[in-house]
Amino acid sequence: MPRTPAPRPSASPALDARVALLRRAAHAEPRLEGVLLYGSWTTGEADAYSDIEAYLFLGEGHADTFDGPGFLRALGRPALAHTNQFGILAVVFEDDLMRGEFHFEEAGAGIAAVEGWQGMVHLPDPDAAVLLDRTGRLTKAAARLTAPLAPEPVESAAHLTGELANWTLMLAHLLARREDARAHNLLHAMVAPLQLKLCRLLRGTTDHWLTPSRAAEEDLPAADLARYTATTAPLEAAAVRAAARASWQWSRELAAEAHGRWGTPVPEALHARIAGLLARD
């Protein structure tokens, strides 16, 4: 049977209104079996800059023929609608430039997979996140996502320590090759998120584990933010090299802290050799 839970207000009236439009359109579309929201609206963190993100589960035989962009016009006129690099229908609504990400999937396999999202998707209030459920299967699956699963510290710290050594060695090689632009990108896109994850693990602030830079200003101590800031740099040779050295020093300190707390291994000889490579001009 279709479900119509009571609307849940957020800090974004525009997003609330668009969620209401999606709920109404979903209930009016018989080919849809279920609709599940995810993202900041479902965790109570939505604001004026938040997106609307949803999985739309289609009945058998409809997934390949359903006109997703046409259906989403019920939510507002699109300024942009395209399938992004992850196979997700990405939409920008013309009136307020709100972004949307919509997954259209076959209900059988799609809803069955929802239970496996534990640790990746957090739904504190599944009743609010489930906008439509004609069979009850989606509600049952979403109920398993009510609590965030904190990463296991020992295994996670050991993994991150290894990752930081691996990618920082590549960073040192790129700098030695004078590929400054590539090194700059690696430092910020690969190394920094790993450092923030290890830092969050040590500080006990893992609610934003999958996007570790999110709300870092509120979640992490000022001293850690200062260390993170020192790892950033403009694309200028000397600045990138200084940031890389500061980055590796912070990585080594985080790894040592994890070792002291959980006994995770630290390959000291390798760490010293990477430091030596980064010390070169």
Side-chain angles (χ1 to χ4, degrees):
M1 295 291 294
R3 305 172 63 259
T4 309
R8 170 183 126 169
S10 75
S12 174
L15 182 53
D16 292 345
R18 194 150 269 134
V19 168
L21 288 172
L22 177 57
R23 179 185 288 112
R24 188 178 309 128
H27 278 264
E29 174 49 72
R31 290 171 293 179
L32 282 171
E33 180 177 319
V35 175
L36 180 67
L37 290 178
Y38 66 98
S40 61
W41 193 87
T42 62
T43 59
E45 297 178 293
D47 60 22
Y49 307 102
S50 293
D51 311 329
I52 180 170
E53 300 154 309
Y55 277 81
L56 296 93
F57 299 105
L58 290 146
E60 185 176 356
H62 297 301
D64 293 333
T65 59
F66 190 76
D67 180 10
F71 170 78
L72 292 173
R73 285 183 175 272
L75 280 61
R77 180 183 175 89
L80 175 68
H82 76 289
T83 301
N84 67 17
Q85 68 266 40
F86 304 109
I88 302 166
L89 181 58
V91 175
V92 175
F93 294 101
E94 188 175 84
D95 58 348
D96 55 7
L97 296 184
M98 183 183 293
R99 296 179 61 255
E101 293 187 354
F102 302 93
H103 308 245
F104 291 88
E105 297 190 0
E106 188 272 324
I111 293 177
V114 170
E115 293 186 11
W117 295 355
Q118 295 180 59
M120 295 184 292
V121 175
H122 176 212
L123 301 178
D125 184 357
D127 284 340
V130 177
L131 301 187
L132 172 70
D133 185 6
R134 299 192 191 278
T135 66
R137 295 191 305 135
L138 183 57
T139 299
K140 181 179 179 180
R144 296 180 177 272
L145 308 178
T146 55
L149 294 183
E152 196 285 319
V154 178
E155 180 180 343
S156 299
H159 173 75
L160 291 166
T161 298
E163 286 280 84
L164 285 167
N166 175 61
W167 289 113
T168 305
L169 177 58
M170 181 176 180
L171 173 65
H173 289 163
L174 292 176
L175 291 172
R177 195 185 288 152
R178 302 294 175 178
E179 288 192 78
D180 293 336
R182 190 176 172 196
H184 181 270
N185 178 71
L186 182 72
L187 179 63
H188 297 90
M190 291 299 299
V191 177
L194 297 168
Q195 289 172 318
L196 288 172
K197 279 191 170 185
L198 185 51
C199 184
R200 283 184 175 279
L201 195 67
L202 289 162
R203 305 297 173 255
T205 58
T206 57
D207 283 352
H208 296 115
W209 180 253
L210 294 181
T211 310
S213 59
R214 178 164 188 168
E217 296 85 352
E218 290 77 34
D219 291 351
L220 296 177
D224 289 320
L225 286 175
R227 297 303 299 274
Y228 169 72
T229 300
T231 72
T232 65
L235 181 47
E236 189 276 322
V240 173
R241 282 159 176 74
R245 289 190 285 269
S247 171
W248 184 230
Q249 180 60 37
W250 191 35
S251 291
R252 296 184 75 181
E253 291 175 16
L254 291 170
E257 187 177 345
H259 173 75
R261 186 177 305 182
W262 297 303
T264 49
V266 177
E268 293 287 0
L270 174 61
H271 281 201
R273 293 180 70 183
I274 293 172
L277 291 175
L278 289 171
R280 299 175 183 175
D281 290 332

